[in-house]
Amino acid sequence: MTILVTGGAGFIGANFVLDWIAGSSEPVVNLDKLTYAGNLQTLSSLEGDERHIFVHGDIGDTDLVQRLLREHQPRAIVNFAAESHVDRSIHGPEDFIETNIVGTFRLLEAVRAYWGALPEQQRGAFRFLHVSTDEVYGSLSADEPAFTETHPYQPNSPYSASKAASDHLVRSYHHTYGLPVLTTNCSNNYGPFHFPEKLIPLMIVNALAGKALPVYGDGQQIRDWLYVKDHCSAIRRVLEAGQVGEVYNVGGWNEKPNLDIVHRVCALLDELRPRPDGMRYAEQIAYVTDRPGHDRRYAIDARKLERELGWKPAETFETGIRKTVEWYLSNQDWVDNVQSGGYRAWVEKNYGGRSA
Ligand SMILES: NC(=O)c1ccc[n+]([C@@H]2O[C@H](COP(=O)([O-])OP(=O)(O)OC[C@H]3O[C@@H](n4cnc5c(N)ncnc54)[C@H](O)[C@@H]3O)[C@@H](O)[C@H]2O)c1
């Protein structure tokens, strides 16, 4: 038995692959295009491990995906591959349309053909799990209840609109063709190996470098935060026990304004790596012009996943954010390489001569 993971060199996908290999003997084929967000150094601990088969390629490359499906005969696919950064989608939406919509469509088409030709028993057991986001539901006012799985889709950024489109395609492949799909819509993740363009790692990295900590607008945008390992455990649970065709919201029950997050990170750094001049890291906070169309509040109601599949996050925000800050403090090399592009040179050296 084998699973195919797409986007497994990115933040959540790589955490998922590492956890999977640590807890299972089942091999993972990892298909990743290695955009700026993909980083094979994150997976370097798996070098030489035959259970991890890395393939450099695009989910939109139908010939490649068909070949992988034929060769490896996966029993499931977990689709993480995406362009994932809202700000980048505002500056240039095209890649988001290409990967999140067209890429997902092509992947679904290849999978549909493969699944349709499987023997009946394997066809019944097959799963296509699509990893999505709470951002597809739009923005909540302060007193509205959290997003449930039946909340109307109201995406507000090119990123969330492209993810919404992919969710719809996945849903339609179940409804129309019977493809056994599962969809998870998760809140903001944080944790190890997070690319330092996103809020929490950016604050840690900038704080340590003595740079400004840019906070959008008034910093009162509320997000629900989930430790990445908890997201990975939720996906494993949905994969093993989710009802085909169903959607599961995944969240950490940790609604917090961005400014509180930044202050918490600063306080942890004050404790764990105090500034040599005795000043507090919070003094580096700088308010900057808000993101256009910035959603005010997301909140996830994750009760369905708890009620039906017995999943709950293991970390509180306090335990998760401490682990995260400690991880960044002890893995400065990873950050330096990501920032310097050194990891790309490493990838070229390590993988340049290998064929997909
Ligand atoms: N980060 C979050 O807080 C969050 C929350 C909820 C849902 N999600 C979803 O989870 C998934 C993973 O998010 P992430 O934060 O790990 O993203 P990421 O940007 O860190 O990683 C995305 C990965 O996909 C790869 N990729 C991009 N285009 C590809 C293509 N065409 N073919 C193959 N690989 C491609 C990249 O190289 C990268 O390794 C995404 O679908 C995202 O929408 C993320």
Side-chain angles (χ1 to χ4, degrees):
M1 304 245 270
T2 300
I3 65 164
L4 171 64
V5 166
T6 71
F11 165 47
I12 306 172
N15 274 288
F16 181 85
V17 168
L18 289 168
D19 288 359
W20 183 274
I21 298 277
S24 157
S25 54
E26 187 175 6
V28 177
V29 178
N30 182 355
L31 171 63
D32 196 296
K33 189 179 171 183
L34 295 180
T35 66
Y36 78 95
N39 184 353
L40 277 178
Q41 204 172 32
T42 305
L43 298 163
S44 59
S45 63
L46 301 180
E47 254 177 75
D49 190 324
E50 287 177 357
R51 292 169 302 165
H52 179 236
I53 301 145
F54 181 77
V55 181
H56 184 192
D58 192 323
I59 55 166
D61 180 344
T62 304
D63 290 346
L64 172 63
V65 173
Q66 282 174 340
R67 181 160 68 73
L68 292 177
L69 294 171
R70 229 179 14 249
E71 278 174 14
H72 297 282
Q73 300 277 310
R75 68 165 176 98
I77 292 173
V78 184
N79 183 30
F80 292 98
E83 289 292 337
S84 72
H85 190 39
V86 177
D87 288 329
R88 285 182 188 257
S89 83
I90 294 168
H91 292 297
E94 190 145 356
D95 286 347
F96 290 72
I97 307 305
E98 201 49 51
T99 283
N100 300 1
I101 306 179
V102 179
T104 305
F105 160 69
R106 294 214 178 113
L107 179 64
L108 281 165
E109 273 295 90
V111 171
R112 178 166 77 91
Y114 162 74
W115 167 77
L118 287 173
E120 200 175 323
Q121 208 189 349
Q122 286 175 38
R123 209 164 49 234
F126 183 82
R127 296 289 181 270
F128 182 97
L129 193 153
H130 180 61
V131 180
S132 192
T133 165
D134 60 356
E135 302 198 26
V136 296
Y137 298 126
S139 186
L140 291 168
S141 61
D143 49 2
E144 274 180 289
F147 300 128
T148 63
E149 288 77 1
T150 54
H151 196 93
Y153 271 39
Q154 290 176 324
N156 289 323
S157 71
Y159 164 63
S160 54
S162 66
K163 289 297 291 185
S166 68
D167 294 6
H168 291 323
L169 283 169
V170 169
R171 177 190 156 86
S172 76
Y173 271 63
H174 175 64
H175 216 73
T176 306
Y177 305 113
L179 189 71
V181 306
L182 298 154
T183 299
T184 54
N185 291 86
C186 187
S187 57
N188 277 35
N189 284 216
Y190 66 99
F193 303 114
H194 205 179
F195 195 80
E197 65 182 354
K198 305 274 173 87
L199 181 71
I200 290 177
L202 181 71
M203 294 302 140
I204 299 172
V205 167
N206 275 15
L208 293 172
K211 292 186 184 162
L213 306 180
V215 170
Y216 285 146
D218 61 3
Q220 292 307 312
Q221 308 83 0
I222 294 175
R223 303 290 180 261
D224 171 75
W225 293 90
L226 181 69
Y227 190 61
V228 64
K229 304 276 178 196
D230 279 329
H231 188 187
C232 295
S233 76
I235 291 170
R236 289 197 301 276
R237 184 69 192 132
V238 172
L239 190 60
E240 93 191 339
Q243 282 289 321
V244 163
E246 288 292 310
V247 173
Y248 296 92
N249 282 356
V250 188
W253 303 105
N254 282 308
E255 266 189 72
K256 294 198 190 302
N258 285 348
L259 190 59
D260 285 16
I261 300 288
V262 176
H263 276 290
R264 190 67 202 113
V265 167
C266 288
L268 279 165
L269 288 172
D270 287 336
E271 176 195 327
L272 299 168
R273 181 74 56 85
R275 273 177 51 146
D277 60 7
M279 305 238 299
R280 303 219 159 262
Y281 284 102
E283 290 173 61
Q284 291 170 226
I285 292 173
Y287 294 91
V288 298
T289 310
D290 206 351
R291 169 192 283 166
H294 205 169
D295 286 338
R296 203 64 186 159
R297 175 175 168 243
Y298 306 136
I300 276 279
D301 182 335
R303 280 178 297 180
K304 176 177 171 182
L305 186 50
E306 181 174 348
R307 192 175 57 244
E308 296 186 7
L309 305 184
W311 176 88
K312 273 202 282 197
E315 302 290 344
T316 63
F317 185 70
E318 274 315 306
T319 59
I321 193 69
R322 182 174 284 277
K323 282 184 183 174
T324 304
V325 171
E326 284 171 349
W327 187 88
Y328 277 88
L329 288 175
S330 349
N331 288 277
Q332 193 60 47
D333 284 2
W334 184 89
V335 174
D336 290 345
N337 278 325
V338 166
Q339 289 187 313
S340 72
Y343 79 94
R344 291 198 178 281
W346 179 84
V347 167
E348 192 44 46
K349 185 168 159 236
N350 193 50
Y351 286 87
R354 306 181 197 207
S355 60

